[in-house]
Amino acid sequence: MTDINENIESPFSLKVSFDKLLKHYEELSQSDDEFIAAKARRVIKTADAYPILREGFSDVSILKEREKEIRTILQDSFSPVLTKNEIKTASVPFHNLIFNSSERFKSIIENAGEDFELQIKNMPKDEKYIIACTIILDFCYGYTINFKRPFYYEIPDKNGIIQFYKILYNADFTEIVPSEHAPKITQEDVDELLDNFDNMALWKEKFPPNSYTFKGFVISNIFNVTADQAISNIKSSLIGEEKRKDEGFMKDFHKIFQSLLGLEDIKVGFSIYNKEEDSFERVYGVGMNSFLLNDSESKSCCGALCEMSYNTLLKEKKFYTISDVNKFYDLSKGKAPQYKSLKDQKIQSAILAPIANDEGLMGILEIVSEQPKVLNSINANKLVDVMPFIVTAVERSKNQEQNLIEAIIQQECTSIHPSVNWRFEKEARQFIKDEMNGKEPNFNKIAFENIYPLYGQIDIKGSSEARNSATQKDLQIQLNMIKSIILNAFELEKLPIYEQFLYQINEYLEGLDQHFQVDSEQQISSFIKQDIDPLFEHLKVIQPLKDEVYAYFKSIDDKVDVLYKHRKDYDDTIALVNKEMAALLDKKQVEAQAMYPHYFERFKTDGVEHNMYIGESITKEESFNPIYLYNLRLWQLQVMCEMENSFYLMQSNFPVKLDVASMILVFNQPLSISFRMDEKQFDVDGTYNARYEIVKKRVDKAYIKGTKKRVTQKGKISIVYSQKQDEIEYMRYIRFLQSKKYLDDDVEIVELQDLQAVTGLKAIRVSVLYHKDPDDKSFYTYEDLMKEIKA
């Protein structure tokens, strides 16, 4: 015995019964229409011979045993006249068991193939139980909870194209009876359930499994709604932004259009129209393709379309159909670019649909097939209903792209730090509000008062000297190459001008050896451009000099138009240092922001410098305490030590060996900053606060009082301050970091020579301890580390 209820958890205990239908026939048996009455009596007689058909049963085998009698009882419901037209079944709810169906339904299932398993597509298993409970609430207690939703079958046709069938249930011949142990449902129970849809335990408490008997059967009237569902699926696919990023998006999109057009062998592509350049461009995304562009990233419209297709798509904004690519390719003698592109991809028919709104063309929807004539001007009209959704999706996509472009520009060029973004949003909202209320909108000044500044830098030592040395070497190499060529030219032609050029080159080489000056580079470059380049254009056609002149030109960098070897090594080193140091600082900043929010910005120069501001007015909450300032100062000092270590660990990878020196500026008085709209950055407010900016710009060049030694020194961190309490505070941090082997024991306190309008500055200087690799437990001073690296 196979029970219908096996492996099903439900508040229903299902029983197939024809009792309610037979009661209807009992009424018909008293009809004045003798034909109807006689037929009804015949049905009742058939059923009376087998009382179980009224009483109800859950044994599936009875359906087979009484198949003939059931077919007689259901004869009017499944009219033989309409059996090949109607799609209809008799079954029990929430079950794939079908015990009677029309011939058309049987044909549909047969065409779907032997492996096809019929399932209601959009009924989640978890929701079946709750749906059954809502039916009980309505049927037994009169509480109508509108949880009805359309259900569908997805069934492939004989060509494998998915067809969508909507199911409408007729439950007139059913009854639901509570068992003795079924809890009585009250209004309070209903109110509780309304607020707890996802609480399955609660639903099972109110409606225990098998606590109600479902007796009867349902008739399903099924309708092919493939076109409507395909349109809905296209809309759903286009709305779901995340769906469009999935790898399977385009595969599903192909299937949807296959269902819409009823064609198996079709593919879908897109191309975007660039109005400014009058060109088509590829849509970037997983699985995206353009059949107009083929392998090209972009094409001018004239390079992708002939004049007629151009006018149809861009000017008239109408569909352009090609039913037979080979035929039209031959007629155009291969000159129409769209036919050639499609033919090269073995495409035989196509529909090109303009995606356009009132502002003009935005792109092209491309539907193609490798079969001729399957796509044509007739079935192109099926796209009319879906084009508005595609237009809306493209409009939204273009807006999102523009927003993304603006966001990238803002991030890369005029970034607003997240810690203060709330303040800008507040002003922007007020700006919009004023504008909508007819007032003169004005973006008010963004300022933050009573905040504490922190400043630090890791600066490349001797960067000017290193660049001058690289420039000097490049110029010497280039001048010697020029000298060699002119000497050889002089051997061929004893021209006095060659002697004059050689004299000038020797003068420049001597000057580079003895005293390289700032203007030396400019003078030599002008000499080469004005005198040597025209000469070498002449000499390169002379056979004995040809190879040497070509080798010279090959050594010249195309972008900067000079020999660019040592200078390139220097520039690459600076770029690498800045990149690595900035990346480390950014990574560490994430941790610092998690401790307590604060404003942060960094700049790449010959090294990396950073500003931080912390205080109540930035965090927008009454949570600031000086402990967060002290924490950030300690964090900054520790991170500067880590950046020093990271630099020297990477130094061997740099093209040029350079050193760095680190400095922290301590300013213990709160100040105010405001956003400069013209410069797109924050700056201090007020004359007194400006002193802080002056010190920042000049302090790293300051000398120790009474000496010509800079306060910053490689291998050391310099902490510049003016107040005794700052010294006491930072000495605590230094002792702590000494215990952690970040810093050495050679602490010194020095006075700085007075800067313009700034006096009384001091500095704590202490050596950083380094390690050769992240896992090395041994620490080194700068001098010892250099010896180890050299060794």
Side-chain angles (χ1 to χ4, degrees):
M1 172 182 168
T2 303
D3 195 293
I4 298 173
N5 298 289
E6 280 184 9
N7 303 318
I8 296 178
E9 186 176 39
S10 170
F12 290 142
S13 176
L14 298 172
K15 280 189 173 185
V16 179
S17 167
F18 302 96
D19 184 47
K20 287 199 74 173
L21 177 60
L22 291 170
K23 286 178 179 178
H24 181 65
Y25 274 114
E26 287 173 354
E27 293 178 7
L28 292 177
S29 67
Q30 306 300 319
S31 172
D32 294 335
D33 188 321
E34 184 54 36
F35 177 78
I36 294 175
K39 188 174 185 181
R41 286 192 292 269
R42 187 170 66 253
V43 170
I44 293 168
K45 183 180 179 181
T46 300
D48 285 346
Y50 304 97
I52 198 169
L53 296 177
R54 280 185 182 270
E55 295 165 5
F57 55 90
S58 57
D59 184 354
V60 176
S61 63
I62 295 174
L63 291 171
K64 186 66 178 174
E65 292 172 9
R66 304 275 75 85
E67 182 179 6
K68 180 180 177 182
E69 290 78 14
I70 291 172
R71 192 162 52 245
T72 300
I73 294 171
L74 296 176
Q75 188 177 47
D76 287 337
S77 301
F78 290 81
S79 169
V81 176
L82 300 175
T83 190
K84 293 184 178 180
N85 299 96
E86 289 183 332
I87 311 172
K88 184 182 283 191
T89 65
S91 63
V92 290
F94 314 119
H95 205 295
N96 292 329
L97 177 67
I98 294 173
F99 52 81
N100 202 68
S101 61
S102 65
E103 291 299 321
R104 187 175 174 193
F105 179 82
K106 292 176 182 176
S107 174
I108 289 170
I109 298 301
E110 185 179 342
N111 289 334
E114 293 180 3
D115 297 334
F116 176 73
E117 184 178 344
L118 187 68
Q119 287 186 338
I120 298 173
K121 187 66 179 176
N122 58 331
M123 183 185 286
K125 290 182 179 179
D126 293 343
E127 291 184 7
K128 285 184 179 180
Y129 200 102
I130 297 175
I131 293 172
C133 293
T134 61
I135 293 171
I136 293 169
L137 282 172
D138 188 9
F139 200 97
C140 297
Y141 300 102
Y143 294 112
T144 301
I145 298 177
N146 191 0
F147 190 56
K148 291 182 179 179
R149 53 191 295 193
F151 295 118
Y152 295 90
Y153 290 134
E154 288 185 14
I155 306 175
D157 64 13
K158 60 184 177 183
N159 296 316
I161 298 171
I162 295 296
Q163 302 291 307
F164 298 89
Y165 296 91
K166 185 175 182 179
I167 309 165
L168 295 181
Y169 291 107
N170 181 339
D172 290 346
F173 309 115
T174 63
E175 55 184 320
I176 300 172
V177 181
S179 65
E180 292 180 0
H181 64 274
K184 181 71 175 177
I185 302 298
T186 65
Q187 182 65 55
E188 288 76 15
D189 293 325
V190 175
D191 293 342
E192 188 178 2
L193 291 168
L194 288 175
D195 294 326
N196 290 277
F197 174 81
D198 294 325
N199 189 342
M200 183 61 74
L202 180 64
W203 287 92
K204 287 183 178 180
E205 177 191 326
K206 308 296 183 186
F207 302 93
N210 303 313
S211 56
Y212 291 79
T213 299
F214 178 95
K215 186 179 174 184
F217 71 98
V218 294
I219 293 177
S220 300
N221 293 285
I222 304 168
F223 304 90
N224 190 321
V225 291
T226 301
D228 292 340
Q229 189 61 30
I231 293 170
S232 177
N233 287 347
I234 288 171
K235 182 179 179 181
S236 175
S237 298
L238 293 171
I239 287 172
E241 181 64 26
E242 292 304 315
K243 289 183 182 179
R244 283 179 276 163
K245 297 176 183 177
D246 292 344
E247 291 187 15
F249 169 72
M250 281 308 296
K251 184 178 180 181
D252 292 340
F253 216 54
H254 292 320
K255 289 182 178 179
I256 293 169
F257 273 94
Q258 287 170 356
S259 294
L260 177 67
L261 298 173
L263 299 170
E264 182 182 11
D265 178 34
I266 62 170
K267 296 177 183 177
V268 182
F270 295 93
S271 50
I272 292 296
Y273 176 60
N274 185 327
K275 185 177 181 180
E276 287 74 17
E277 298 181 14
D278 195 34
S279 64
F280 292 121
E281 298 175 352
R282 185 176 298 279
V283 178
Y284 290 100
V286 179
M288 292 289 187
N289 199 4
S290 171
F291 303 101
L292 267 182
L293 297 177
N294 197 358
D295 294 329
S296 302
E297 295 298 310
S298 65
K299 279 185 184 178
S300 67
C301 292
C302 294
L305 301 170
C306 68
E307 184 178 356
M308 186 175 82
S309 58
Y310 181 96
N311 289 333
T312 302
L313 290 167
L314 274 76
K315 294 184 178 179
E316 298 176 17
K317 300 173 192 170
K318 293 181 178 178
F319 295 156
Y320 185 80
T321 59
I322 308 163
S323 60
D324 192 330
V325 170
N326 285 339
K327 172 185 173 182
F328 289 104
Y329 177 83
D330 293 339
L331 287 173
S332 70
K333 299 180 180 178
K335 293 180 180 179
Q338 73 272 19
Y339 302 141
K340 184 179 186 309
S341 178
L342 296 174
K343 183 178 174 65
D344 289 346
Q345 298 170 79
K346 298 182 180 179
I347 292 168
Q348 294 298 310
S349 60
I351 299 172
L352 304 179
I355 306 169
N357 58 13
D358 293 339
E359 296 177 7
L361 185 74
M362 294 183 291
I364 301 291
L365 169 66
E366 310 159 358
I367 303 176
V368 302
S369 171
E370 294 183 0
Q371 303 298 323
K373 299 179 183 177
V374 298
L375 294 170
N376 49 65
S377 62
I378 295 174
N379 55 19
N381 284 284
K382 289 188 176 183
L383 299 177
V384 170
D385 293 327
V386 304
M387 291 310 295
F389 304 124
I390 294 175
V391 169
T392 300
V394 173
E395 285 175 336
R396 186 177 64 252
S397 181
K398 286 175 73 71
N399 290 336
Q400 289 172 343
E401 181 186 40
Q402 187 59 42
N403 291 339
L404 181 59
I405 290 169
E406 291 175 3
I408 290 171
I409 292 171
Q410 181 182 3
Q411 177 180 325
E412 298 299 323
C413 309
T414 58
S415 179
I416 302 299
H417 193 263
S419 63
V420 295
N421 192 60
W422 66 271
R423 187 72 177 79
F424 287 84
E425 288 183 357
K426 180 180 178 182
E427 286 303 326
R429 288 192 185 97
Q430 187 61 46
F431 187 97
I432 295 169
K433 183 178 178 182
D434 289 346
E435 191 172 40
M436 294 183 70
N437 290 335
K439 299 179 182 178
E440 185 67 31
N442 183 40
F443 202 93
N444 296 321
K445 178 181 177 180
I446 305 291
F448 297 95
E449 298 179 351
N450 293 318
I451 58 172
Y452 293 88
L454 295 92
Y455 173 78
Q457 68 173 36
I458 182 165
D459 191 42
I460 294 172
K461 294 295 287 181
S463 57
S464 297
E465 292 83 351
R467 192 187 191 287
N468 287 344
S469 175
T471 303
Q472 186 179 7
K473 291 175 183 176
D474 281 346
L475 291 175
Q476 286 173 331
I477 294 170
Q478 190 170 358
L479 286 172
N480 279 313
M481 291 178 72
I482 294 168
K483 181 179 178 179
S484 174
I485 294 170
I486 294 177
L487 281 171
N488 290 333
F490 187 67
E491 291 294 321
L492 296 174
E493 289 183 287
K494 302 292 184 180
L495 299 180
I497 190 66
Y498 292 161
E499 289 185 283
Q500 191 272 322
F501 285 154
L502 289 169
Y503 166 78
Q504 186 67 62
I505 291 168
N506 286 329
E507 285 268 296
Y508 285 136
L509 286 170
E510 186 179 345
L512 289 172
D513 266 337
Q514 295 179 0
H515 51 278
F516 180 80
Q517 297 178 341
V518 177
D519 62 346
S520 298
E521 181 179 3
Q522 181 62 40
Q523 290 176 5
I524 295 170
S525 295
S526 296
F527 165 67
I528 293 171
K529 190 170 186 178
Q530 293 172 13
D531 296 323
I532 301 303
D533 286 351
L535 171 64
F536 281 10
E537 288 296 326
H538 164 67
L539 295 181
K540 74 180 183 181
V541 299
I542 299 173
Q543 192 60 40
L545 302 173
K546 183 178 179 181
D547 291 345
E548 194 175 2
V549 174
Y550 270 105
Y552 166 80
F553 280 124
K554 191 174 181 181
S555 71
I556 303 303
D557 189 275
D558 293 334
K559 293 180 180 178
V560 293
D561 205 25
V562 293
L563 190 140
Y564 184 56
K565 181 180 182 302
H566 293 90
R567 277 172 289 187
K568 185 176 187 302
D569 288 344
Y570 170 81
D571 290 341
D572 287 349
T573 299
I574 296 294
L576 276 169
V577 170
N578 287 345
K579 178 185 175 184
E580 297 297 339
M581 294 299 99
L584 176 60
L585 188 56
D586 289 345
K587 182 180 178 181
K588 293 292 182 181
Q589 248 294 299
V590 176
E591 301 170 8
Q593 290 292 341
M595 297 176 197
Y596 191 82
H598 58 277
Y599 180 81
F600 169 80
E601 61 183 358
R602 58 154 174 79
F603 308 97
K604 296 177 184 177
T605 52
D606 282 351
V608 176
E609 57 184 283
H610 63 271
N611 288 319
M612 295 186 289
Y613 299 103
I614 187 170
E616 190 80 66
S617 59
I618 287 178
T619 52
K620 198 180 60 170
E621 298 173 0
E622 295 180 3
S623 61
F624 179 72
N625 186 286
I627 193 68
Y628 295 117
L629 169 63
Y630 304 146
N631 180 73
L632 193 60
R633 284 175 173 172
L634 175 59
W635 172 89
Q636 180 189 36
L637 180 57
Q638 182 170 315
V639 168
M640 294 293 281
C641 295
E642 293 177 12
M643 290 175 71
E644 281 264 352
N645 261 278
S646 180
F647 171 83
Y648 284 107
L649 283 174
M650 294 183 291
Q651 191 190 53
S652 59
N653 299 326
F654 298 147
V656 176
K657 182 183 177 300
L658 295 171
D659 287 304
V660 294
S662 298
M663 185 202 74
I664 288 172
L665 175 61
V666 184
F667 197 80
N668 67 350
Q669 295 297 316
L671 46 74
S672 299
I673 60 171
S674 63
F675 190 76
R676 309 295 186 198
M677 293 296 182
D678 51 346
E679 298 174 10
K680 300 294 188 246
Q681 66 180 39
F682 279 98
D683 203 354
V684 296
D685 265 346
T687 305
Y688 173 76
N689 294 334
R691 178 173 176 267
Y692 173 70
E693 288 295 326
I694 293 170
V695 175
K696 263 177 32 178
K697 288 179 171 63
R698 298 175 182 172
V699 70
D700 65 319
K701 302 295 190 294
Y703 293 109
I704 297 173
K705 200 167 192 176
T707 73
K708 286 297 180 181
K709 294 181 179 179
R710 290 273 176 85
V711 65
T712 55
Q713 181 181 341
K714 61 188 178 184
K716 291 180 181 285
I717 287 183
S718 301
I719 304 164
V720 179
Y721 62 95
S722 62
Q723 303 294 322
K724 183 65 178 177
Q725 61 261 41
D726 298 332
E727 180 183 309
I728 295 170
E729 179 186 343
Y730 273 86
M731 286 302 295
R732 291 202 309 267
Y733 302 154
I734 289 169
R735 284 193 292 271
F736 170 67
L737 293 178
Q738 286 171 337
S739 73
K740 295 183 70 175
K741 301 301 181 185
Y742 277 84
L743 297 171
D744 205 356
D745 296 329
D746 60 340
V747 178
E748 60 176 333
I749 297 175
V750 297
E751 292 185 41
L752 274 59
Q753 288 185 354
D754 293 343
L755 302 174
Q756 183 181 353
V758 180
T759 60
L761 291 178
K762 291 184 177 183
I764 304 172
R765 300 204 309 175
V766 59
S767 294
V768 178
L769 290 178
Y770 302 94
H771 46 87
K772 289 187 295 183
D773 62 71
D775 298 322
D776 188 2
K777 301 301 181 184
S778 301
F779 291 86
Y780 305 82
T781 63
Y782 171 79
E783 290 75 14
D784 291 338
L785 180 69
M786 292 300 104
K787 290 177 186 176
E788 286 285 332
I789 291 173
K790 288 176 182 176

